Amino acid sequence: MRKIVIPIICVFLLLSIFVLEIFTKKTDNKNLEKLKVAEVTHSIFYTPMYIADALGYFEEEGLDVEIILTSGANNVAAAVMSKDVQIGFCGSEQTLYIYNEGAKDYLVNFAGMTKRDGSFLVSRKPIENFDIKKLEGVILGGRQGGMPAMTLNYTLHENGVTSLKVDTSVDFASLSGAFISGQGDFVTLFEPNALNLEKEGFGYVVASIGELGGEVPYTSFNALKSYIEENPKTIEKFTRAIQKGLDYTFEHSPQELSKLLVNYFPDITLNDIEETVERYKKSDSWYKTTYITETGYNHMQEIVDYNGFLTKRVDYSILVDNTYNHEK
């Protein structure tokens, strides 16, 4: 009888500990400040943010962050403006558009992450000894007025390319499908989409648009001016968590990072995730810190201006708040 009682007691104790842990976690979650973040696309390009989430850096700062896919920078901006989410993560050009439209409570960039275009150029045919100046045909570049298409136009201009026509009739989220269906000779895609096309035999990655186009605060975090003023501690905590994500990304190998990212990209193999992370590392895709430089911000305005979408220049101090960012 004694032999039977002891195992039962052990099982009871284990169940009690398990229930207590669940209860404690639920209690802890209730104490966290809930925060919704609208991301412009779901891509390995945004590795530092997912790393911050995977390693619990947001929770360490007292935040319960929900990342919501909101395709298109214009839609991200609309979600923040309508207060459906507190933070937007998209191209910094959207803050220019909102401000120049006359909004009194406009969007302000408070933290940077990616410092160049995250697109890779995919060709229908393999290209040896790649030279962008020798390319001819039609390239699918994304929505007109969006950062991918504008950066591409600017890059082609800077490299003196006149034999490529940029097709902006296809929105960013539909680029892969349009290319697979036969539209265009080239397409620009974020990872893992570029690698997927390669693996499926629909194209060949021949260059990084980011490496060709130079540095710019390509994707940054923004919030309503009023929200930043009313919730400085929240912005500080969120920014600190993102900085931790950046630090970890720089300090660890693609192999180590891929193991943390696999839950965010369940349809992609671990090896493919590792390969795409390595591509972004080689392309020097991320800022070392969340600090948004005035040089980078002004370069973004140059790109928007070249594409004909800049109504007027807006001073750096108006649309960038580096209160919680530090240069290294």
Side-chain angles (χ1 to χ4, degrees), residues 137-201:
V138 177
I139 180 170
L140 304 183
R143 177 180 58 87
Q144 191 175 33
M147 208 59 190
M150 291 194 296
T151 305
L152 176 61
N153 279 327
Y154 188 84
T155 299
L156 295 178
H157 166 71
E158 287 293 289
N159 285 277
V161 180
T162 58
S163 52
L164 269 176
K165 178 185 176 183
V166 179
D167 182 346
T168 56
S169 66
V170 182
D171 65 82
F172 190 78
S174 305
L175 289 174
S176 290
F179 190 72
I180 290 171
S181 69
Q183 193 170 339
D185 302 295
F186 304 90
V187 64
T188 57
L189 297 171
F190 277 19
E191 293 292 10
N193 295 336
L195 182 63
N196 286 342
L197 249 66
E198 228 176 10
K199 295 283 185 180
E200 293 167 8

Short mmCIF file of all heavy atoms in Angstrom, two decimals, residues 137-201:
data_model
loop_
_atom_site.label_atom_id
_atom_site.label_comp_id
_atom_site.label_asym_id
_atom_site.label_seq_id
_atom_site.Cartn_x
_atom_site.Cartn_y
_atom_site.Cartn_z
N GLY A 137 15.05 45.09 -69.96
CA GLY A 137 13.74 44.46 -69.80
C GLY A 137 12.88 45.18 -68.77
O GLY A 137 13.06 46.37 -68.48
N VAL A 138 11.92 44.44 -68.21
CA VAL A 138 10.96 44.99 -67.24
C VAL A 138 11.19 44.37 -65.86
O VAL A 138 11.36 43.16 -65.75
CB VAL A 138 9.50 44.71 -67.69
CG1 VAL A 138 8.51 45.21 -66.65
CG2 VAL A 138 9.23 45.35 -69.05
N ILE A 139 11.21 45.22 -64.85
CA ILE A 139 11.42 44.74 -63.49
C ILE A 139 10.21 45.12 -62.62
O ILE A 139 9.76 46.26 -62.64
CB ILE A 139 12.73 45.34 -62.90
CG1 ILE A 139 12.95 44.85 -61.47
CG2 ILE A 139 12.75 46.84 -62.97
CD1 ILE A 139 14.33 45.19 -60.93
N LEU A 140 9.66 44.14 -61.90
CA LEU A 140 8.55 44.39 -60.99
C LEU A 140 9.11 44.98 -59.71
O LEU A 140 9.92 44.35 -59.03
CB LEU A 140 7.80 43.09 -60.69
CG LEU A 140 7.26 42.29 -61.89
CD1 LEU A 140 6.50 41.07 -61.40
CD2 LEU A 140 6.38 43.16 -62.77
N GLY A 141 8.67 46.21 -59.39
CA GLY A 141 9.30 46.91 -58.26
C GLY A 141 8.40 47.22 -57.09
O GLY A 141 8.84 47.83 -56.12
N GLY A 142 7.12 46.83 -57.15
CA GLY A 142 6.22 47.12 -56.03
C GLY A 142 5.39 48.36 -56.26
O GLY A 142 5.47 49.01 -57.30
N ARG A 143 4.59 48.73 -55.28
CA ARG A 143 3.63 49.83 -55.36
C ARG A 143 4.32 51.17 -55.58
O ARG A 143 5.31 51.49 -54.96
CB ARG A 143 2.81 49.86 -54.06
CG ARG A 143 1.81 51.00 -53.95
CD ARG A 143 1.07 50.91 -52.62
NE ARG A 143 2.00 50.97 -51.50
CZ ARG A 143 2.43 52.10 -50.95
NH1 ARG A 143 2.05 53.27 -51.45
NH2 ARG A 143 3.26 52.07 -49.92
N GLN A 144 3.73 51.97 -56.47
CA GLN A 144 4.24 53.31 -56.73
C GLN A 144 4.15 54.16 -55.47
O GLN A 144 3.12 54.20 -54.80
CB GLN A 144 3.43 53.97 -57.85
CG GLN A 144 4.03 55.25 -58.37
CD GLN A 144 3.24 55.80 -59.56
OE1 GLN A 144 2.04 55.64 -59.62
NE2 GLN A 144 3.91 56.44 -60.49
N GLY A 145 5.24 54.81 -55.11
CA GLY A 145 5.26 55.63 -53.90
C GLY A 145 5.74 54.89 -52.68
O GLY A 145 5.99 55.50 -51.65
N GLY A 146 5.86 53.55 -52.79
CA GLY A 146 6.38 52.76 -51.69
C GLY A 146 7.90 52.77 -51.71
O GLY A 146 8.53 52.97 -52.75
N MET A 147 8.52 52.52 -50.57
CA MET A 147 9.98 52.58 -50.48
C MET A 147 10.69 51.59 -51.40
O MET A 147 11.71 51.94 -52.00
CB MET A 147 10.42 52.38 -49.03
CG MET A 147 11.73 53.04 -48.68
SD MET A 147 11.69 54.83 -48.94
CE MET A 147 13.42 55.24 -48.72
N PRO A 148 10.20 50.34 -51.56
CA PRO A 148 10.90 49.42 -52.47
C PRO A 148 11.01 49.95 -53.89
O PRO A 148 12.09 49.93 -54.49
CB PRO A 148 10.04 48.15 -52.41
CG PRO A 148 9.43 48.20 -51.05
CD PRO A 148 9.12 49.66 -50.82
N ALA A 149 9.89 50.44 -54.44
CA ALA A 149 9.90 50.94 -55.81
C ALA A 149 10.74 52.22 -55.92
O ALA A 149 11.48 52.41 -56.90
CB ALA A 149 8.47 51.21 -56.28
N MET A 150 10.63 53.10 -54.94
CA MET A 150 11.37 54.36 -54.99
C MET A 150 12.88 54.13 -54.86
O MET A 150 13.67 54.77 -55.56
CB MET A 150 10.88 55.32 -53.91
CG MET A 150 9.46 55.83 -54.15
SD MET A 150 9.02 57.24 -53.10
CE MET A 150 9.08 56.49 -51.47
N THR A 151 13.27 53.24 -53.96
CA THR A 151 14.69 52.93 -53.81
C THR A 151 15.24 52.31 -55.07
O THR A 151 16.37 52.61 -55.50
CB THR A 151 14.92 51.97 -52.62
OG1 THR A 151 14.34 52.52 -51.45
CG2 THR A 151 16.40 51.75 -52.38
N LEU A 152 14.46 51.44 -55.71
CA LEU A 152 14.88 50.81 -56.95
C LEU A 152 15.08 51.85 -58.04
O LEU A 152 16.11 51.86 -58.74
CB LEU A 152 13.82 49.79 -57.39
CG LEU A 152 14.07 49.11 -58.74
CD1 LEU A 152 15.37 48.32 -58.74
CD2 LEU A 152 12.90 48.18 -59.09
N ASN A 153 14.11 52.76 -58.21
CA ASN A 153 14.23 53.82 -59.21
C ASN A 153 15.48 54.67 -58.98
O ASN A 153 16.22 54.99 -59.91
CB ASN A 153 12.99 54.72 -59.17
CG ASN A 153 11.82 54.13 -59.93
OD1 ASN A 153 12.00 53.45 -60.93
ND2 ASN A 153 10.62 54.39 -59.45
N TYR A 154 15.69 55.02 -57.72
CA TYR A 154 16.84 55.85 -57.36
C TYR A 154 18.15 55.11 -57.63
O TYR A 154 19.11 55.69 -58.15
CB TYR A 154 16.75 56.24 -55.89
CG TYR A 154 17.79 57.25 -55.45
CD1 TYR A 154 17.58 58.62 -55.63
CD2 TYR A 154 18.97 56.83 -54.84
CE1 TYR A 154 18.53 59.54 -55.21
CE2 TYR A 154 19.93 57.75 -54.43
CZ TYR A 154 19.71 59.10 -54.61
OH TYR A 154 20.66 60.02 -54.21
N THR A 155 18.18 53.82 -57.30
CA THR A 155 19.38 53.00 -57.51
C THR A 155 19.72 52.89 -58.99
O THR A 155 20.89 53.02 -59.38
CB THR A 155 19.18 51.59 -56.92
OG1 THR A 155 18.94 51.70 -55.51
CG2 THR A 155 20.40 50.71 -57.16
N LEU A 156 18.70 52.67 -59.81
CA LEU A 156 18.92 52.58 -61.26
C LEU A 156 19.44 53.92 -61.79
O LEU A 156 20.37 53.95 -62.62
CB LEU A 156 17.62 52.21 -61.97
CG LEU A 156 17.05 50.82 -61.65
CD1 LEU A 156 15.73 50.60 -62.39
CD2 LEU A 156 18.04 49.71 -62.02
N HIS A 157 18.87 55.01 -61.29
CA HIS A 157 19.30 56.35 -61.70
C HIS A 157 20.76 56.60 -61.32
O HIS A 157 21.56 57.07 -62.14
CB HIS A 157 18.39 57.39 -61.05
CG HIS A 157 18.92 58.79 -61.12
ND1 HIS A 157 18.97 59.50 -62.30
CD2 HIS A 157 19.45 59.60 -60.16
CE1 HIS A 157 19.49 60.70 -62.07
NE2 HIS A 157 19.79 60.78 -60.78
N GLU A 158 21.11 56.26 -60.08
CA GLU A 158 22.47 56.49 -59.58
C GLU A 158 23.51 55.66 -60.34
O GLU A 158 24.66 56.05 -60.45
CB GLU A 158 22.55 56.15 -58.09
CG GLU A 158 21.86 57.16 -57.19
CD GLU A 158 22.56 58.51 -57.20
OE1 GLU A 158 23.67 58.61 -56.65
OE2 GLU A 158 21.99 59.47 -57.78
N ASN A 159 23.07 54.51 -60.86
CA ASN A 159 23.99 53.65 -61.60
C ASN A 159 23.90 53.87 -63.11
O ASN A 159 24.51 53.13 -63.88
CB ASN A 159 23.70 52.18 -61.28
CG ASN A 159 24.21 51.77 -59.90
OD1 ASN A 159 25.37 51.45 -59.72
ND2 ASN A 159 23.32 51.82 -58.91
N GLY A 160 23.15 54.87 -63.52
CA GLY A 160 23.06 55.22 -64.93
C GLY A 160 22.34 54.19 -65.78
O GLY A 160 22.62 54.06 -66.98
N VAL A 161 21.41 53.45 -65.19
CA VAL A 161 20.68 52.41 -65.92
C VAL A 161 19.44 53.02 -66.58
O VAL A 161 18.57 53.58 -65.91
CB VAL A 161 20.25 51.27 -64.98
CG1 VAL A 161 19.49 50.20 -65.76
CG2 VAL A 161 21.46 50.67 -64.29
N THR A 162 19.35 52.89 -67.88
CA THR A 162 18.20 53.45 -68.62
C THR A 162 17.45 52.38 -69.41
O THR A 162 16.40 52.65 -69.99
CB THR A 162 18.68 54.54 -69.59
OG1 THR A 162 19.65 53.97 -70.50
CG2 THR A 162 19.30 55.71 -68.86
N SER A 163 17.99 51.16 -69.43
CA SER A 163 17.40 50.11 -70.25
C SER A 163 16.45 49.19 -69.47
O SER A 163 15.97 48.20 -70.00
CB SER A 163 18.51 49.25 -70.87
OG SER A 163 19.41 48.80 -69.88
N LEU A 164 16.16 49.55 -68.21
CA LEU A 164 15.23 48.77 -67.41
C LEU A 164 13.98 49.60 -67.11
O LEU A 164 14.07 50.74 -66.67
CB LEU A 164 15.86 48.37 -66.07
CG LEU A 164 16.61 47.03 -66.00
CD1 LEU A 164 17.23 46.87 -64.62
CD2 LEU A 164 15.69 45.86 -66.29
N LYS A 165 12.82 49.02 -67.36
CA LYS A 165 11.57 49.70 -67.06
C LYS A 165 11.01 49.12 -65.76
O LYS A 165 10.88 47.91 -65.62
CB LYS A 165 10.55 49.49 -68.19
CG LYS A 165 9.20 50.13 -67.90
CD LYS A 165 8.19 49.80 -68.98
CE LYS A 165 6.82 50.37 -68.61
NZ LYS A 165 5.79 50.01 -69.61
N VAL A 166 10.68 49.99 -64.80
CA VAL A 166 10.14 49.55 -63.53
C VAL A 166 8.62 49.51 -63.60
O VAL A 166 7.97 50.53 -63.85
CB VAL A 166 10.59 50.46 -62.37
CG1 VAL A 166 9.99 49.98 -61.05
CG2 VAL A 166 12.11 50.48 -62.27
N ASP A 167 8.05 48.35 -63.39
CA ASP A 167 6.59 48.15 -63.40
C ASP A 167 6.09 48.28 -61.96
O ASP A 167 6.43 47.48 -61.10
CB ASP A 167 6.27 46.76 -63.96
CG ASP A 167 4.77 46.49 -64.06
OD1 ASP A 167 3.98 47.24 -63.47
OD2 ASP A 167 4.40 45.52 -64.74
N THR A 168 5.25 49.32 -61.70
CA THR A 168 4.73 49.55 -60.35
C THR A 168 3.24 49.21 -60.25
O THR A 168 2.54 49.68 -59.36
CB THR A 168 4.94 51.01 -59.93
OG1 THR A 168 4.34 51.88 -60.90
CG2 THR A 168 6.42 51.34 -59.83
N SER A 169 2.76 48.38 -61.18
CA SER A 169 1.34 48.04 -61.20
C SER A 169 0.97 46.93 -60.22
O SER A 169 -0.21 46.68 -59.97
CB SER A 169 0.92 47.62 -62.62
OG SER A 169 1.56 46.40 -62.99
N VAL A 170 1.99 46.26 -59.65
CA VAL A 170 1.75 45.14 -58.74
C VAL A 170 2.14 45.54 -57.32
O VAL A 170 3.26 46.03 -57.10
CB VAL A 170 2.56 43.89 -59.16
CG1 VAL A 170 2.26 42.72 -58.22
CG2 VAL A 170 2.27 43.52 -60.60
N ASP A 171 1.23 45.35 -56.34
CA ASP A 171 1.57 45.72 -54.97
C ASP A 171 2.62 44.75 -54.42
O ASP A 171 2.78 43.63 -54.91
CB ASP A 171 0.33 45.74 -54.07
CG ASP A 171 -0.30 44.38 -53.90
OD1 ASP A 171 0.19 43.61 -53.07
OD2 ASP A 171 -1.27 44.08 -54.63
N PHE A 172 3.30 45.19 -53.37
CA PHE A 172 4.45 44.47 -52.84
C PHE A 172 4.13 43.03 -52.46
O PHE A 172 4.91 42.12 -52.72
CB PHE A 172 5.00 45.23 -51.63
CG PHE A 172 6.32 44.72 -51.13
CD1 PHE A 172 7.50 45.05 -51.78
CD2 PHE A 172 6.39 43.92 -50.01
CE1 PHE A 172 8.73 44.58 -51.32
CE2 PHE A 172 7.60 43.44 -49.54
CZ PHE A 172 8.77 43.78 -50.20
N ALA A 173 2.96 42.81 -51.85
CA ALA A 173 2.61 41.48 -51.37
C ALA A 173 2.33 40.49 -52.49
O ALA A 173 2.35 39.28 -52.28
CB ALA A 173 1.39 41.57 -50.44
N SER A 174 2.08 41.01 -53.71
CA SER A 174 1.70 40.15 -54.84
C SER A 174 2.82 39.95 -55.85
O SER A 174 2.62 39.33 -56.90
CB SER A 174 0.47 40.75 -55.56
OG SER A 174 -0.59 40.94 -54.66
N LEU A 175 4.01 40.46 -55.54
CA LEU A 175 5.12 40.41 -56.50
C LEU A 175 5.52 38.98 -56.90
O LEU A 175 5.72 38.69 -58.08
CB LEU A 175 6.34 41.15 -55.95
CG LEU A 175 6.23 42.68 -55.88
CD1 LEU A 175 7.44 43.27 -55.17
CD2 LEU A 175 6.09 43.27 -57.28
N SER A 176 5.64 38.10 -55.92
CA SER A 176 6.05 36.71 -56.22
C SER A 176 5.08 36.04 -57.18
O SER A 176 5.48 35.43 -58.18
CB SER A 176 6.14 35.88 -54.93
OG SER A 176 7.23 36.28 -54.16
N GLY A 177 3.78 36.15 -56.87
CA GLY A 177 2.76 35.53 -57.70
C GLY A 177 2.75 36.07 -59.11
O GLY A 177 2.59 35.31 -60.08
N ALA A 178 2.92 37.38 -59.25
CA ALA A 178 2.93 38.01 -60.58
C ALA A 178 4.12 37.52 -61.40
O ALA A 178 3.99 37.24 -62.59
CB ALA A 178 2.97 39.53 -60.43
N PHE A 179 5.27 37.41 -60.75
CA PHE A 179 6.48 36.95 -61.45
C PHE A 179 6.33 35.49 -61.87
O PHE A 179 6.68 35.12 -63.00
CB PHE A 179 7.70 37.13 -60.55
CG PHE A 179 9.01 36.91 -61.24
CD1 PHE A 179 9.51 37.83 -62.15
CD2 PHE A 179 9.78 35.78 -60.98
CE1 PHE A 179 10.73 37.64 -62.79
CE2 PHE A 179 11.00 35.57 -61.61
CZ PHE A 179 11.47 36.50 -62.52
N ILE A 180 5.80 34.66 -60.99
CA ILE A 180 5.59 33.25 -61.30
C ILE A 180 4.62 33.08 -62.47
O ILE A 180 4.78 32.19 -63.32
CB ILE A 180 5.05 32.49 -60.06
CG1 ILE A 180 6.16 32.38 -59.00
CG2 ILE A 180 4.54 31.10 -60.42
CD1 ILE A 180 5.69 31.84 -57.66
N SER A 181 3.64 33.98 -62.54
CA SER A 181 2.65 33.89 -63.62
C SER A 181 3.19 34.37 -64.97
O SER A 181 2.51 34.27 -65.99
CB SER A 181 1.40 34.71 -63.26
OG SER A 181 1.69 36.10 -63.25
N GLY A 182 4.41 34.92 -64.96
CA GLY A 182 5.04 35.31 -66.22
C GLY A 182 5.22 36.80 -66.43
O GLY A 182 5.71 37.24 -67.47
N GLN A 183 4.86 37.61 -65.45
CA GLN A 183 4.97 39.06 -65.60
C GLN A 183 6.38 39.53 -65.25
O GLN A 183 6.93 39.19 -64.21
CB GLN A 183 3.95 39.74 -64.68
CG GLN A 183 3.75 41.22 -64.96
CD GLN A 183 2.56 41.78 -64.18
OE1 GLN A 183 1.68 41.04 -63.76
NE2 GLN A 183 2.54 43.09 -64.00
N GLY A 184 6.99 40.32 -66.13
CA GLY A 184 8.30 40.89 -65.87
C GLY A 184 9.47 39.97 -66.18
O GLY A 184 9.33 38.75 -66.22
N ASP A 185 10.62 40.61 -66.38
CA ASP A 185 11.87 39.86 -66.60
C ASP A 185 12.66 39.72 -65.30
O ASP A 185 13.48 38.81 -65.16
CB ASP A 185 12.73 40.59 -67.64
CG ASP A 185 12.00 40.76 -68.96
OD1 ASP A 185 11.71 39.74 -69.60
OD2 ASP A 185 11.69 41.92 -69.32
N PHE A 186 12.41 40.66 -64.38
CA PHE A 186 13.06 40.67 -63.08
C PHE A 186 12.03 41.06 -62.02
O PHE A 186 11.00 41.64 -62.33
CB PHE A 186 14.21 41.68 -63.04
CG PHE A 186 15.26 41.52 -64.09
CD1 PHE A 186 15.14 42.17 -65.31
CD2 PHE A 186 16.36 40.71 -63.87
CE1 PHE A 186 16.11 42.01 -66.30
CE2 PHE A 186 17.34 40.56 -64.84
CZ PHE A 186 17.21 41.20 -66.06
N VAL A 187 12.34 40.75 -60.78
CA VAL A 187 11.48 41.16 -59.67
C VAL A 187 12.36 41.40 -58.45
O VAL A 187 13.41 40.77 -58.30
CB VAL A 187 10.40 40.09 -59.37
CG1 VAL A 187 11.03 38.78 -58.89
CG2 VAL A 187 9.39 40.61 -58.34
N THR A 188 11.96 42.34 -57.60
CA THR A 188 12.68 42.58 -56.35
C THR A 188 11.85 42.01 -55.21
O THR A 188 10.67 42.32 -55.08
CB THR A 188 12.93 44.08 -56.11
OG1 THR A 188 11.68 44.78 -56.10
CG2 THR A 188 13.82 44.65 -57.19
N LEU A 189 12.48 41.16 -54.39
CA LEU A 189 11.76 40.48 -53.32
C LEU A 189 12.54 40.46 -52.02
O LEU A 189 13.77 40.35 -52.03
CB LEU A 189 11.47 39.02 -53.72
CG LEU A 189 10.55 38.78 -54.93
CD1 LEU A 189 10.58 37.30 -55.30
CD2 LEU A 189 9.13 39.24 -54.64
N PHE A 190 11.81 40.56 -50.91
CA PHE A 190 12.40 40.34 -49.60
C PHE A 190 12.58 38.84 -49.41
O PHE A 190 11.96 38.03 -50.09
CB PHE A 190 11.47 40.87 -48.51
CG PHE A 190 11.58 42.35 -48.24
CD1 PHE A 190 12.15 43.20 -49.16
CD2 PHE A 190 11.08 42.89 -47.06
CE1 PHE A 190 12.24 44.57 -48.93
CE2 PHE A 190 11.17 44.25 -46.80
CZ PHE A 190 11.76 45.09 -47.73
N GLU A 191 13.42 38.50 -48.43
CA GLU A 191 13.54 37.11 -48.02
C GLU A 191 12.48 36.79 -46.96
O GLU A 191 12.14 37.68 -46.17
CB GLU A 191 14.93 36.83 -47.45
CG GLU A 191 16.06 36.93 -48.45
CD GLU A 191 16.04 35.84 -49.50
OE1 GLU A 191 15.05 35.08 -49.59
OE2 GLU A 191 17.01 35.74 -50.25
N PRO A 192 11.87 35.60 -46.99
CA PRO A 192 12.34 34.40 -47.70
C PRO A 192 11.77 34.22 -49.11
O PRO A 192 11.98 33.19 -49.73
CB PRO A 192 11.86 33.28 -46.79
CG PRO A 192 10.56 33.81 -46.25
CD PRO A 192 10.80 35.28 -46.03
N ASN A 193 11.03 35.23 -49.63
CA ASN A 193 10.38 35.06 -50.93
C ASN A 193 11.37 34.86 -52.08
O ASN A 193 11.13 34.06 -52.99
CB ASN A 193 9.48 36.26 -51.23
CG ASN A 193 8.31 36.37 -50.27
OD1 ASN A 193 7.91 35.35 -49.69
ND2 ASN A 193 7.77 37.54 -50.09
N ALA A 194 12.49 35.59 -52.04
CA ALA A 194 13.49 35.46 -53.10
C ALA A 194 14.06 34.04 -53.14
O ALA A 194 14.17 33.43 -54.21
CB ALA A 194 14.61 36.48 -52.90
N LEU A 195 14.41 33.52 -51.97
CA LEU A 195 14.96 32.17 -51.90
C LEU A 195 13.92 31.13 -52.32
O LEU A 195 14.25 30.15 -53.00
CB LEU A 195 15.45 31.87 -50.48
CG LEU A 195 16.09 30.50 -50.28
CD1 LEU A 195 17.35 30.35 -51.12
CD2 LEU A 195 16.42 30.26 -48.80
N ASN A 196 12.66 31.35 -51.93
CA ASN A 196 11.59 30.41 -52.31
C ASN A 196 11.46 30.30 -53.83
O ASN A 196 11.31 29.20 -54.37
CB ASN A 196 10.25 30.86 -51.71
CG ASN A 196 10.17 30.60 -50.23
OD1 ASN A 196 10.94 29.80 -49.69
ND2 ASN A 196 9.25 31.27 -49.55
N LEU A 197 11.53 31.43 -54.53
CA LEU A 197 11.44 31.41 -55.99
C LEU A 197 12.61 30.65 -56.59
O LEU A 197 12.46 29.91 -57.55
CB LEU A 197 11.41 32.84 -56.54
CG LEU A 197 10.07 33.28 -57.15
CD1 LEU A 197 9.01 33.34 -56.06
CD2 LEU A 197 10.19 34.63 -57.82
N GLU A 198 13.77 30.85 -55.97
CA GLU A 198 14.97 30.16 -56.42
C GLU A 198 14.82 28.65 -56.24
O GLU A 198 15.10 27.87 -57.14
CB GLU A 198 16.17 30.67 -55.62
CG GLU A 198 17.37 31.04 -56.46
CD GLU A 198 18.49 31.63 -55.62
OE1 GLU A 198 18.44 31.60 -54.38
OE2 GLU A 198 19.44 32.12 -56.23
N LYS A 199 14.37 28.25 -55.06
CA LYS A 199 14.21 26.83 -54.74
C LYS A 199 13.18 26.16 -55.63
O LYS A 199 13.30 24.98 -55.97
CB LYS A 199 13.80 26.67 -53.27
CG LYS A 199 14.83 27.13 -52.26
CD LYS A 199 15.95 26.12 -52.10
CE LYS A 199 16.90 26.55 -51.00
NZ LYS A 199 18.02 25.59 -50.81
N GLU A 200 12.14 26.92 -56.00
CA GLU A 200 11.07 26.37 -56.83
C GLU A 200 11.39 26.42 -58.32
O GLU A 200 10.60 25.97 -59.15
CB GLU A 200 9.77 27.13 -56.56
CG GLU A 200 9.23 26.91 -55.14
CD GLU A 200 8.14 27.89 -54.76
OE1 GLU A 200 7.70 28.66 -55.65
OE2 GLU A 200 7.73 27.91 -53.58
N GLY A 201 12.55 26.99 -58.68
CA GLY A 201 12.99 27.01 -60.06
C GLY A 201 12.40 28.11 -60.92
O GLY A 201 12.43 28.05 -62.16
#
